[in-house]
Amino acid sequence: KETLDYAINSILKQKFKYLNPKIEIIISIDDQKNYREYQKTNKERVDVIITSTKKNRSGAGNARNHAIKMVRGKYVGFLDADDEYSKNYLEEMYFYVRKNGVVTAPTHIYKDNIKIIEFRGIKRDLLTLRDISENPCSFHPFLKRELMINYQEKPSQDVYNLAELLDKSDIKMIKNGYYRLNISNSSYTRNKNFKNDIDKAYKFYQVKAIKEKKLKLAQQFAIRRIINKKYINWNVENNSKFYYEYIKGIKNEK
């Protein structure tokens, strides 16, 4: 809750040069706290809808699925409560999503308000299935409502959902706008159970993909598991550092 203002304001402060869009913000509550104050956020062209899961801390996947049921808009994007959109994110996303049905953006990782690493597709203007392992972070798609897929109720459910989309075709990546992922000491990647929880989730997705005969998809999560095991070993001597600092080291070595 302490970071939600930043997330919402990043939507309210979007810059539009060619659009005058109607926006709905669906706040999907997963901690059973009172968020009614955010309905005062209503401004011209913006509706704020608050919905709550029945279970406390049921996970991001369940919260996303709960929000999906409320969607009325033609195009849908996701924003975690501690992250932000760049100021031109929505207009640039809209420009491509209306043509392609689905589009994504680079992810910029920030720590203490300082950018530590930037992720974009191997092909720069496209995201491919290989990016699931080559760029081991989260990318957040913007897509037509009818293309949305329910999320698994496990860690990294957003990564698996995106992988399913990429298993069908490459996805256009915008050039200027970006998704700002903010990490802090309270981030999930800092949780002592993160490494083991992620490995179990990756194994689940790998097996699921094999059973569904999506072998290229399964391969990506097998590689992610290898990267995670290397991170576990690295973290023994670098406990004060973050997961994305480890990933930055990998990319620099390449």
Side-chain angles (χ1 to χ4, degrees):
K1 190 171 185 178
E2 63 272 14
T3 64
L4 189 57
D5 283 341
Y6 294 101
I8 291 176
N9 282 333
S10 78
I11 299 173
L12 297 178
K13 293 179 180 179
Q14 287 290 297
K15 301 295 184 182
F16 297 105
K17 187 175 181 180
Y18 302 106
L19 297 178
N20 185 27
K22 180 70 175 177
I23 298 172
E24 62 179 10
I25 300 174
I26 301 174
I27 304 175
S28 188
I29 306 307
D30 193 39
D31 59 10
Q32 307 306 306
K33 295 180 181 178
N34 187 347
Y35 287 78
R36 291 178 185 173
E37 65 197 78
Y38 286 98
Q39 290 192 308
K40 297 178 183 178
T41 305
N42 280 345
K43 294 186 176 181
E44 186 181 357
R45 298 185 292 104
V46 177
D47 286 337
V48 177
I49 300 167
I50 297 177
T51 185
S52 181
T53 61
K54 293 181 179 179
K55 297 180 181 179
N56 186 40
R57 298 190 180 281
S58 60
N62 186 47
R64 289 170 188 261
N65 290 337
H66 198 71
I68 285 172
K69 296 175 184 177
M70 309 292 292
V71 169
R72 297 173 300 175
K74 188 173 182 179
Y75 305 105
V76 183
F78 292 92
L79 180 62
D80 289 350
D82 52 354
D83 295 335
E84 301 167 64
Y85 290 155
S86 67
K87 64 182 180 181
N88 54 345
Y89 181 92
L90 288 180
E91 183 163 84
E92 196 173 2
M93 284 292 221
Y94 173 76
F95 180 80
Y96 289 104
V97 75
R98 61 180 181 169
K99 296 179 180 179
N100 303 330
V102 58
V103 63
T104 191
T107 297
H108 292 191
I109 311 294
Y110 278 75
K111 176 189 174 188
D112 299 327
N113 216 30
I114 298 172
K115 186 167 75 171
I116 62 173
I117 189 171
E118 173 183 333
F119 294 97
R120 66 166 54 245
I122 299 168
K123 296 183 178 180
R124 191 166 180 80
D125 62 342
L126 284 176
L127 201 68
T128 70
L129 186 59
R130 272 185 59 207
D131 282 300
I132 296 298
S133 59
E134 290 284 338
N135 287 296
C137 75
S138 293
F139 291 101
H140 298 266
F142 199 75
L143 66 171
K144 287 184 177 179
R145 182 175 58 187
E146 59 267 27
L147 296 179
M148 287 191 298
I149 309 169
N150 271 354
Y151 286 80
Q152 299 291 319
E153 295 182 16
K154 293 183 180 296
S156 285
Q157 27 68 40
D158 54 335
V159 177
Y160 185 76
N161 239 33
L162 182 64
E164 286 197 299
L165 292 170
L166 288 168
D167 196 40
K168 297 175 182 177
S169 67
D170 296 345
I171 296 176
K172 174 70 180 178
M173 176 165 279
I174 62 175
K175 295 179 180 179
N176 300 311
Y178 59 89
Y179 184 101
R180 173 170 168 159
L181 194 157
N182 296 313
I183 59 174
S184 67
N185 287 326
S186 61
S187 296
Y188 178 55
T189 57
R190 294 293 289 164
N191 189 298
K192 64 179 181 180
N193 297 321
F194 167 76
K195 299 178 288 293
N196 294 325
D197 289 347
I198 286 294
D199 184 64
K200 290 178 183 177
Y202 288 167
K203 182 178 180 179
F204 173 84
Y205 300 142
Q206 181 185 355
V207 172
K208 184 178 188 301
I210 291 172
K211 288 181 178 178
E212 295 175 358
K213 297 183 179 180
K214 300 175 180 177
L215 300 185
K216 290 182 179 179
L217 195 156
Q219 183 184 37
Q220 296 305 304
F221 284 95
I223 296 172
R224 276 222 174 199
R225 291 184 69 195
I226 293 170
I227 293 171
N228 188 55
K229 289 183 184 299
K230 290 181 178 179
Y231 166 64
I232 291 173
N233 295 331
W234 176 88
N235 190 242
V236 172
E237 297 181 359
N238 298 273
N239 188 48
S240 63
K241 294 189 176 182
F242 290 76
Y243 168 76
Y244 287 113
E245 290 173 311
Y246 168 69
I247 299 302
K248 181 179 180 179
I250 292 177
K251 290 179 75 68
N252 288 342
E253 287 175 5
K254 291 182 180 179

